[in-house]
Amino acid sequence: SQKIEQNSEALNIQEGKTATLTCNYTNYSPAYLQWYRQDPGRGPVFLLLIRENEKEKRKERLKVTFDTTLKQSLFHITASQPADSATYLCALDAGSGNTGKLIFGQGTTLQVKP
Amino acid sequence: EAGVAQSPRYKIIEKRQSVAFWCNPISGHATLYWYQQILGQGPKLLIQFQNNGVVDDSQLPKDRFSAERLKGVDSTLKIQPAKLEDSAVYLCASSFTSGGAGETQYFGPGTRLLVL
């Protein structure tokens, strides 16, 4: 069956360290994968997109990798800050890449302690 | 630029009652999505409209859920009758064109529904 999984346990790290979140999927061949941030009581906010032919994408302190052989994406936040505390969702394209039909993981909650 | 607007923000109803949610997407956005997010889970797509046509409603429980997007702008999602398992946050999102090729989806704040 098709699945997309993120670590359901919360990730607690110290300020200044690098946070690494994992997204694994099975029985999909996504054209792209996206990462979103969700704060309590709010809707998800888009962070980064990585396509199947890209290995790595960076934006400021954020870095995403995409390994289509391992069927895995890693999301890194370097020099983490308490303001980075939130739930992070990965989402992949469940269609042909042309429909915008996203399947989301369950999210991983990150807590950055000062 | 105004974001996606949703109302109400919170709703509490008894099971078997009906409820409706409203969404106003970002101006000019062609595609509108309704998602259901149960506590501890990621959003699940219920229905996707492009302009006023349905693109995908494969995960919409059509025996109790309905949605419309008249005139290709605002949308309403209705549940009738509600069940306990419908308790969730209902998120509306929009994208500028079809949403394909990884186009960014912009989410509203959601409507939190509690069914007692």
Side-chain angles (χ1 to χ4, degrees):
Chain A
S1 63
Q2 295 176 314
K3 283 196 298 187
I4 176 168
E5 291 185 328
Q6 299 181 249
N7 288 349
S8 56
E9 289 186 17
L11 179 62
N12 294 298
I13 65 167
Q14 207 66 35
E15 182 176 8
K17 300 292 187 184
T18 296
T20 299
L21 285 67
T22 304
C23 177
N24 295 295
Y25 60 92
T26 54
N27 294 322
Y28 285 110
S29 296
Y32 58 83
L33 191 144
Q34 298 179 336
W35 284 87
Y36 286 79
R37 169 181 173 142
Q38 187 171 27
D39 290 285
R42 309 188 77 156
V45 175
F46 171 79
L47 295 174
L48 278 169
L49 164 88
I50 188 163
R51 302 191 187 280
E52 60 180 336
N53 60 348
E54 297 174 316
K55 297 289 187 190
E56 182 178 298
K57 212 61 168 301
R58 291 175 185 262
K59 179 182 175 183
E60 298 172 352
R61 294 184 296 110
L62 309 180
K63 184 179 86 171
V64 173
T65 62
F66 193 11
D67 188 325
T68 54
T69 301
L70 290 179
K71 296 187 181 298
Q72 180 180 77
S73 176
L74 298 179
F75 177 81
H76 306 272
I77 306 175
T78 58
S80 60
Q81 305 166 0
D84 295 326
S85 299
T87 295
Y88 292 86
L89 298 158
C90 66
L92 55 78
D93 153 51
S96 61
N98 297 319
T99 65
K101 181 172 181 176
L102 293 179
I103 303 295
F104 282 84
Q106 73 269 42
T108 297
T109 298
L110 172 67
Q111 186 72 35
V112 181
K113 298 186 187 298
Chain B
E1 179 183 77
V4 176
Q6 291 188 245
S7 68
R9 292 296 313 277
Y10 305 92
K11 191 75 178 178
I12 301 175
I13 61 173
E14 301 277 334
K15 61 183 178 184
R16 292 188 288 274
Q17 286 186 325
S18 63
V19 65
F21 312 125
W22 173 82
C23 173
N24 182 232
I26 293 173
S27 178
H29 278 201
T31 300
L32 183 148
Y33 314 79
W34 282 104
Y35 289 87
Q36 179 193 58
Q37 186 173 23
I38 292 171
L39 187 65
Q41 298 182 19
K44 182 180 90 170
L45 179 67
L46 293 176
I47 188 166
Q48 177 182 352
F49 294 95
Q50 184 165 353
N51 298 313
N52 59 354
V54 175
V55 174
D56 189 309
D57 64 357
S58 57
Q59 298 193 95
L60 186 73
K62 298 180 187 63
D63 57 334
R64 298 184 301 105
F65 286 64
S66 64
E68 60 183 11
R69 192 185 184 198
L70 299 176
K71 302 180 183 177
V73 182
D74 293 6
S75 177
T76 55
L77 176 70
K78 296 180 182 177
I79 308 175
Q80 181 179 12
K83 293 185 174 181
L84 296 178
E85 59 260 37
D86 298 331
S87 295
V89 176
Y90 291 85
L91 294 162
C92 180
S94 68
S95 59
F96 184 60
T97 60
S98 67
E103 185 182 19
T104 299
Q105 296 186 21
Y106 297 86
F107 284 81
T111 296
R112 189 175 301 271
L113 173 67
L114 179 60
V115 182
L116 301 175

